Amino acid sequence: MPAVDPFVTPSEAVARRRAVTETRAVLRKATEAWRAFSCPGSAECCQLATTGRPPWLWPSEWALLLEGLARARRPLPPARADGGCPFLDAAGRRCTVYEDRPFGCRTFFCHRVTGPSKPPADTTNALLELLAAANLAWRFDAAPRSLPDLHREATAPP
């Protein structure tokens, strides 16, 4: 659980908690919508510097990742020298935050995805709208940011 911030009002804390709870629900629905699809598990899409396609996270998705690390009593991992997602294991093949992975990582934006011929675009778009609404209800200025930018900011010296 994150430390209590004396500058966050109780109503802001409730709004944050609601956004994170709603994000969990959206992520479960995204997993269900894409259940018929799979990938070869190569972690090719996680090589962010190579693909140039990092996932973009809403603030609640980043908060969910940080909460998962806190629950597991794990620190935020350092940046990878190979430019891969910092949440990959040491071998660069497995996600270490799989249960809390962001929306973009659940919806197979990789060209190697297999499954039915038509991806669930309508469902995916509706879920993205719910994710946006949850975050904008939390913070009126909420906007998605790239995972590398969020990670770089979080690991920068004070």
Side-chain angles (χ1 to χ4, degrees), residues 77-140:
R80 293 180 58 89
D82 64 5
C85 177
F87 295 106
L88 283 172
D89 66 4
R93 305 271 305 163
R94 291 280 183 222
C95 179
T96 62
V97 293
Y98 191 79
E99 288 303 313
D100 296 320
R101 72 195 184 282
F103 190 92
C105 300
R106 292 171 190 260
T107 54
F108 300 109
F109 59 87
C110 173
H111 69 281
R112 297 175 74 188
V113 65
T114 59
S117 61
K118 186 174 187 277
D122 291 342
T123 301
T124 300
N125 289 337
L127 291 172
L128 282 170
E129 288 177 14
L130 290 173
L131 191 55
N135 280 273
L136 292 169
W138 170 21
R139 294 177 24 200
F140 76 93

Side-chain angles (χ1 to χ4, degrees), residues 14-33:
V14 168
R16 178 191 184 283
R17 174 62 26 219
R18 184 176 295 124
V20 170
T21 299
E22 290 176 17
T23 296
R24 275 195 182 94
V26 166
L27 295 179
R28 280 192 303 272
K29 290 175 183 175
T31 296
E32 186 57 37

